[in-house]
Amino acid sequence: MKIRQIINNITENWSVKAACFVLAIFIYIFFQLSIQETKTFVVNLDIVSKNGMAVTNNYQKKIKISIRGKKEDIATFRESEVSAYVDLSFLAKEGSYKVPILVDLPKDALLLDALEVKVSPQEIPITVEEEIKGFVSLNPLVKGEVADGYEIKNIKITPDEVEIFGPKSIVQNYNRLQTKAINVKGANTSFSKNVGVDNLGKSLKLVSKELINVEVEIVPSVSSKKIIVNSLSYVGLPETLQVENENIEVEFVVTGKKLDIDNLKNTDFIVEADCSKITNIETESFIEVPIKIIKPEKVEFKGEYPKIISLQLKKIESEDTEIVKDVLPKIEDLKITQPEEVETITTEESIKS
């Protein structure tokens, strides 16, 4: 009797009760949805290989991971705790495959209820081949210009080669890598710096991640300049002589630091002609005499430079000499006659007379 009464109570106004039940379900679902939240992370795709296989093709490097759950459950999720990877360990030989993307979540996530994880894309196409190691040489990459008047003399890198590993076909065709850029802009002294390896490629990895030491030797630039001196000093030139070819030019080349050479002038040099050993000449003669070039200490001669010059010398005629020359012809024209004989009278005879 009681069971029939219960059934009658349930079936009484059943349409209204059914509507209320459905409404209650919707309210529950809405409530559950209202207390849930979605967090999205974009992470790098890692390759895991324990069987000596490596990926050779270009593949999608960024993976989108969406995690949905109760707000309080996923609030503690951090991007650093979420990762995506593909595992090549089950691949037995070289070839092309489509492999699923796996997700690694924090251990506490396994204890959460109603946690939904979505990955995009879910799988990627890859091509794999045998993974090997090899050594490649390193080149330094220099960026910028050193200070004016300076230059890079030498760059030393330690070590000068690194060991890499990756797909066989790529490692075997790699013979040179370069360091990350070393900025030398405005530098005027030597320096050293630790840098990493640049342009390693997407499929290659370094066996050791130690930094590369780069020593850059910077020295003053060396430059040359042609000097022309046209004003000479005549040392020991006799007063009776004069130089007729006074427009003599002495030309030579000097070398030194660029900053010193750029500021150098012809007047910074003195050329002395040693005339002290000249004794007697004809009216006009050409005589070779040694010269001495006095230069600034900061520069040096480049190659051969003049040590002898030819002087055109002329005797200076003094006024006395000219007078003598004018008088001599007149004296030669004079006729000198002997005086007539005269009688000589002694003193005694003079007294007698």
Side-chain angles (χ1 to χ4, degrees):
M1 190 70 181
K2 289 182 179 180
I3 294 176
R4 183 182 294 274
Q5 187 176 357
I6 292 171
I7 293 173
N8 290 335
N9 290 336
I10 292 173
T11 56
E12 185 179 0
N13 297 325
W14 68 270
S15 59
V16 176
K17 292 179 181 180
C20 291
F21 179 74
V22 172
L23 181 61
I25 292 176
F26 276 109
I27 292 174
Y28 175 78
I29 293 173
F30 178 78
F31 174 75
Q32 290 296 325
L33 292 175
S34 66
I35 63 173
Q36 287 191 333
E37 190 175 86
T38 300
K39 251 189 177 181
T40 301
F41 305 96
V42 177
V43 298
N44 294 324
L45 180 63
D46 297 325
I47 303 296
V48 176
S49 178
K50 297 179 181 179
N51 61 349
M53 291 293 180
V55 179
T56 62
N57 66 306
N58 291 325
Y59 57 91
Q60 186 170 332
K61 300 296 190 300
K62 297 289 185 179
I63 302 299
K64 182 179 178 181
I65 300 176
S66 299
I67 302 175
R68 183 174 179 81
K70 291 182 180 179
K71 186 175 182 178
E72 61 272 17
D73 290 340
I74 65 172
T76 57
F77 277 63
R78 299 288 181 269
E79 186 172 327
S80 58
E81 300 175 322
V82 180
S83 61
Y85 65 96
V86 292
D87 191 354
L88 308 182
S89 302
F90 67 92
L91 302 178
K93 60 181 181 179
E94 299 178 351
S96 298
Y97 303 89
K98 277 193 173 182
V99 293
I101 295 176
L102 306 176
V103 176
D104 195 2
L105 299 176
K107 294 181 180 179
D108 295 342
L110 301 175
L111 305 176
L112 302 178
D113 295 330
L115 191 67
E116 182 182 355
V117 180
K118 289 184 178 180
V119 183
S120 178
Q122 294 184 345
E123 61 181 17
I124 59 168
I126 60 170
T127 301
V128 297
E129 65 180 36
E130 181 186 358
E131 185 177 69
I132 64 171
K133 294 180 180 180
F135 285 91
V136 294
S137 300
L138 271 177
N139 273 347
L141 176 61
V142 177
K143 178 182 179 182
E145 297 289 338
V146 297
D148 185 38
Y150 293 85
E151 62 183 9
I152 297 175
K153 182 179 180 181
N154 184 45
I155 300 179
K156 179 183 178 182
I157 56 177
T158 307
D160 57 0
E161 64 178 11
V162 292
E163 188 176 14
I164 60 173
F165 68 94
K168 181 178 179 179
S169 61
I170 298 178
V171 172
Q172 288 178 339
N173 291 322
Y174 246 83
N175 52 22
R176 194 169 295 275
L177 289 171
Q178 64 183 18
T179 65
K180 290 189 178 296
I182 304 148
N183 191 358
V184 299
K185 184 178 180 180
N188 57 10
T189 56
S190 301
F191 67 92
S192 65
K193 187 176 182 180
N194 293 326
V195 295
V197 177
D198 195 23
N199 294 334
L200 189 60
K202 297 178 180 180
S203 301
L204 297 177
K205 294 181 180 179
L206 292 172
V207 173
S208 173
K209 294 185 179 180
E210 292 184 5
L211 294 177
I212 310 301
N213 180 256
V214 181
E215 298 179 21
V216 182
E217 185 180 0
I218 298 176
V219 297
S221 300
V222 176
S223 184
S224 300
K225 191 172 188 177
K226 183 166 70 173
I227 303 295
I228 300 175
V229 179
N230 51 24
S231 178
L232 278 66
S233 175
Y234 304 104
V235 179
L237 181 67
E239 294 181 358
T240 58
L241 300 177
Q242 68 179 14
V243 179
E244 290 293 293
N245 55 340
E246 292 186 351
N247 295 325
I248 301 173
E249 289 187 346
V250 176
E251 183 178 311
F252 51 91
V253 178
V254 293
T255 183
K257 295 179 181 179
K258 185 177 183 299
L259 294 177
D260 294 333
I261 293 292
D262 289 346
N263 296 322
L264 207 59
K265 300 176 182 177
N266 292 349
T267 53
D268 294 330
F269 296 82
I270 300 174
V271 178
E272 294 180 348
D274 185 5
C275 304
S276 60
K277 294 183 180 180
I278 300 174
T279 55
N280 189 25
I281 65 169
E282 300 295 332
T283 303
E284 188 171 329
S285 300
F286 284 90
I287 295 180
E288 289 187 341
V289 297
I291 62 171
K292 178 182 178 182
I293 303 175
I294 302 173
K295 62 175 182 59
E297 293 183 356
K298 54 191 175 183
V299 299
E300 298 294 336
F301 292 110
K302 184 178 181 181
E304 294 294 325
Y305 57 92
K307 297 181 177 64
I308 295 176
I309 59 171
S310 180
L311 297 181
Q312 183 182 3
L313 299 177
K314 183 179 180 181
K315 238 178 184 181
I316 301 175
E317 302 290 351
S318 66
E319 293 181 0
D320 293 341
T321 304
E322 293 295 330
I323 293 173
V324 171
K325 283 185 176 181
D326 291 339
V327 171
L328 280 176
K330 295 177 182 179
I331 293 175
E332 289 175 356
D333 293 338
L334 292 176
K335 292 182 178 180
I336 302 174
T337 59
Q338 294 292 330
E340 295 180 357
E341 292 184 3
V342 294
E343 185 179 357
T344 303
I345 300 175
T346 64
T347 305
E348 291 180 356
E349 291 176 347
S350 175
I351 294 171
K352 286 180 179 181
S353 61

